[in-house]
Amino acid sequence: MEPAAGYPPDEHARRAASFGTVAPAYAEHRPTYPVAMVDWALAPVRDAADLAVLDLGAGTGKLTEVLAGMGLAVTAVEPDPAMLAQLRARLPGVPALRGPAEEIPLPDDSVDAVLVGQALHWFDLDRAMPEIHRVLRPGGVLVSAWNGYDDRVPWVARMSAGADSVTRSKNNEDRLLPVVQALGHCERGDFEHSMTRTVDTMVDTVATQSWLLTSTPEYRADVLARVRAVLLADPATATGEFTVPLVVTAFRITFD
């Protein structure tokens, strides 16, 4: 099966492995997730005794931190050692294991929910789905969530266009939606969210995207210069801190 994101295998592998090269920047600059999304995600299993949650492909722990902060029993699993090191440093009280989605290092029937933040498109679903089924208890849920910029806001749309990311995001959604819907009974939720940035930290955030990490230095510099120019040209973002509007799109799949 072609990787979920639809990239050629060699590009897929390069992009999937690129985040570890900027793990501290990823931990510092990537957005978190809203509690409302997690509440919605876990609604079908909230009454489970000893509710246990797996954050799969946990990265530096952006979603893990939210889950732990809500008092949930969460285990994080992440394949990249540099990303995992950031997670363990930031959340020393959370069990965090190294492993891929295709070989989850947990026992059978051990969790009620598998949550995936910004990572399902990196999985080999032919191998990952049997593993997710294996670790899920009966009636469990798989929830995949993606943070995206809210380009209904004019300056955000201009920034995304400058970064050449509107087409990329739309193409990813077009590829992923049928893949996710084919996995089981699927429901969608959209949740408004935000983060605070300056011009410099917004550029730093954009710089952590995999398609830039694996591009040529010249192209990367050009894209980031365009993003900076858009931000400096708009009174809403030119000076000081500003709020970046986000929309988190989540797909919840319930299994019998």
Side-chain angles (χ1 to χ4, degrees):
M1 180 178 180
E2 188 180 61
Y7 311 126
D10 56 343
E11 182 185 358
H12 180 268
R14 283 198 315 123
R15 289 179 63 168
S18 66
F19 298 111
T21 65
V22 292
Y26 193 106
E28 181 177 359
H29 296 299
R30 280 296 185 105
T32 182
Y33 296 86
V35 169
M37 185 277 290
V38 176
D39 281 335
W40 173 85
L42 298 180
V45 295
R46 268 299 191 179
D47 294 334
D50 301 319
L51 176 64
V53 180
L54 166 62
D55 183 4
L56 186 59
T60 61
K62 291 293 183 175
L63 180 54
T64 312
E65 185 173 18
V66 177
L67 295 165
M70 295 173 66
L72 296 165
V74 55
T75 299
V77 170
E78 165 58 35
D80 187 283
M83 300 286 273
L84 186 61
Q86 289 290 319
L87 189 156
R88 287 171 170 166
R90 295 175 60 242
L91 301 169
V94 174
L97 307 175
R98 185 178 177 188
E102 298 79 11
E103 296 180 34
I104 301 172
L106 290 180
D108 296 357
D109 301 322
S110 55
V111 297
D112 300 287
V114 175
L115 271 63
V116 183
Q118 218 80 13
L120 186 78
H121 49 297
W122 302 121
F123 298 173
D124 177 347
L125 292 177
D126 281 342
R127 297 172 57 209
M129 286 308 300
E131 280 290 277
I132 290 169
H133 277 286
R134 180 183 65 78
V135 301
L136 274 175
R137 295 167 183 158
V141 296
L142 165 65
V143 179
S144 185
W146 285 273
N147 258 309
Y149 300 124
D150 188 349
D151 58 12
R152 295 171 297 183
V153 176
W155 74 260
V156 176
R158 289 192 291 272
M159 180 189 71
S160 295
D164 191 29
S165 61
V166 173
T167 300
R168 293 171 188 273
S169 299
K170 185 65 169 63
N171 286 346
N172 285 344
E173 183 174 323
D174 288 345
R175 293 186 184 111
L176 286 164
L177 186 56
V179 171
V180 173
Q181 288 176 329
L183 296 178
H185 174 62
C186 183
E187 301 167 271
R188 174 174 175 159
D190 293 285
F191 304 87
E192 292 186 355
H193 194 35
S194 65
M195 58 184 179
T196 302
R197 290 291 182 268
T198 64
V199 171
D200 286 341
T201 58
M202 189 70 245
V203 172
D204 289 339
T205 302
V206 174
T208 64
Q209 295 177 0
S210 65
W211 59 274
L212 276 180
L213 294 174
T214 57
S215 66
T216 66
E218 295 78 13
Y219 178 70
R220 177 182 168 89
D222 178 63
V223 167
L224 296 179
R226 280 186 272 142
V227 170
R228 183 179 296 276
V230 169
L231 296 173
L232 290 174
D234 195 305
T237 56
T239 59
E241 293 186 335
F242 52 86
T243 298
V244 183
L246 305 169
V247 175
V248 179
T249 299
F251 297 96
R252 182 176 64 196
I253 302 160
T254 305
F255 301 102
D256 296 331

